[in-house]
Amino acid sequence: VSPVTPAGEGGVAVLRLSGALAKALLVKNFRSSAKTAEFESHRLYHGQLVDARGTQVDEVMAVFMRAPRTYTREDVVEISCHGGSLMVRKIVDLFVEGGARIAKPGEFTLRAFLNGRIDLSQAEAVVDLISARSEAAGKVALRQLGGALSKKIFLYRDNLSDLLALVEASIDFPEEELDLPVLDGFRGSVRGVVARIDSLLEGFDSGRALREGLSVLILGRPNAGKSSLLNALLGESRAIVTPIAGTTRDTIEESLVLGGFPIRLIDTAGIRETNDIIEAEGVRRAQDKISEADLVLLVVDGSRPLDGDDYLALKLCRDHRVLLVINKNDLLPTPLEREFFSLPQVRVSAHSGQGLEALRAAVVKLFLSASSDAEVGESTLLSDRRHREALWRCREALVRGEEGLGPGCALEVFALELREGLEALGGITGETTPDEILGKIFSRFCVGK
Ligand code: GDP
């Protein structure tokens, strides 16, 4: 048993019971004017929850869902009660006294996985869907939940296990000379799977950007107006901004949504030439951040001539994707120097808000051109690092296996690599995922999911 709605006050809270005892516990504690001697499956009933002494606890709506057509594939009861923390706790206690146990975070989904209703990549999509910060990210998660990724993985798996069966048959009958056409056939099959894995891997960057957000770094010398720009950009979208854990003191990180894409906006300490060890360290850290960023907004103060610090900042990010933001456009502008001409640029005023729309549009445009497929299409099936690593492992094994194929080769080695590849694929769908990894994945879930 566990509440499945978030803690806090609300009109309604929902609790879920899963397991063989669920219905008995409901029957024991539910009184209704309707003739509910037998709860019909998937039908909502109105009534009173009562405790062991028959005292009324709350007026609720309850539904019993018979296995296997349920979230966990076990018998499930869901109760909608009044939404206060005290009420929810009282009802949970009521069922715990009756013999239920409080569910661990993610346990309902874990059961759905263990009972074979969904595979592991689908279970992981549940977390992504809940934490999706933009429409596009939600779409990716929803498709993964629907099994779009697993379908591909199962297909590769079937191809490889068919091939493995053939190879093993050839091992078992060594007297049949292995002729070249047979080896070529093996090779062709492996290459086919590798090519498909490659196309899936190719979409990872845009998939990841949609899921984790594109990271945009704000860079520039002190007083260029970086913090003002950050605040101006957050402006109206502040309501949907969530602070990100692990924010260090020398960088500030905020999230927002631009043109449907989640963006992590990172403000760095000002860049300036210095002999001071601590400030130099700040510059070094900014440099690390630059290499991780998907886009750098290089901010300069357009109302005064650029100086050595501006050039230092330019030097740091020159080789990355940069958008030059010429700030303080509400003041009298000074002409730009040549080195900055070639950069894509926008003029803004963080103070008046002038040019911010153009800046937003420019960021989205740069991002769209980065991910060839702007729509959430086939290319964005893969967004999880764990899945990517598994695909890499599979690919490597297959390539090794293929390279070893040749006249007089040991087919046992080839079979071994195929098995290794299959094992890696199974890690994505959960067929071969070790328990401690499962534990880690499900611990990311919130209570009640
Ligand atoms: P940072 O050190 O780069 O983060 O710069 P700040 O955001 O702290 O801004 C430095 C100074 O420039 C502050 O006094 C701001 O008020 C001012 N400033 C920032 N943006 C603008 C702008 O668009 N126009 C004008 N006139 N002043 C600005």
Side-chain angles (χ1 to χ4, degrees), residues 79-254:
I79 296 172
S80 308
C81 65
H82 286 104
S85 330
L86 180 71
M87 182 57 73
V88 170
R89 198 164 347 123
K90 256 168 95 174
I91 298 178
V92 169
D93 287 348
L94 189 71
F95 289 117
V96 169
E97 273 163 35
R101 173 173 67 67
I102 293 178
K104 297 192 201 99
E107 191 170 358
F108 294 129
T109 310
L110 174 66
R111 290 191 178 190
F113 163 65
L114 293 176
N115 292 328
R117 192 176 71 80
I118 52 176
D119 67 60
L120 188 57
S121 79
Q122 290 175 302
E124 289 173 293
V126 174
V127 187
D128 291 345
L129 197 58
I130 292 173
S131 57
R133 281 181 280 122
S134 75
E135 196 142 329
K139 257 190 219 166
V140 174
L142 202 56
R143 295 203 332 166
Q144 189 174 321
L145 181 61
L149 177 65
S150 344
K151 236 186 260 159
K152 298 230 170 206
I153 304 296
F154 286 136
L155 185 72
Y156 306 162
R157 184 200 58 186
D158 292 347
N159 290 346
L160 289 182
S161 36
D162 288 351
L163 178 60
L164 183 60
L166 280 178
V167 173
E168 275 169 348
S170 317
I171 296 174
D172 292 344
F173 302 102
E175 64 274 14
E176 279 179 38
E177 267 298 304
L178 264 183
D179 46 7
L180 280 176
V182 173
L183 287 182
D184 278 346
F186 291 167
R187 199 172 282 128
S189 307
V190 169
R191 281 193 187 147
V193 176
V194 169
R196 275 190 235 137
I197 288 180
D198 281 345
S199 75
L200 203 53
L201 283 169
E202 243 166 52
F204 177 76
D205 279 335
S206 38
R208 181 198 59 90
L210 285 177
R211 177 168 179 267
E212 296 178 3
L214 189 71
S215 72
V216 175
L217 188 81
I218 304 182
L219 190 75
R221 67 164 175 73
N223 274 322
K226 298 182 299 300
S227 314
S228 308
L229 183 69
L230 178 78
N231 286 325
L233 280 176
L234 289 177
E236 73 269 30
S237 54
R238 185 122 222 165
I240 43 170
V241 163
T242 46
I244 289 187
T247 303
T248 53
R249 255 192 296 157
D250 51 343
T251 58
I252 296 172
E253 199 165 314
E254 300 270 12

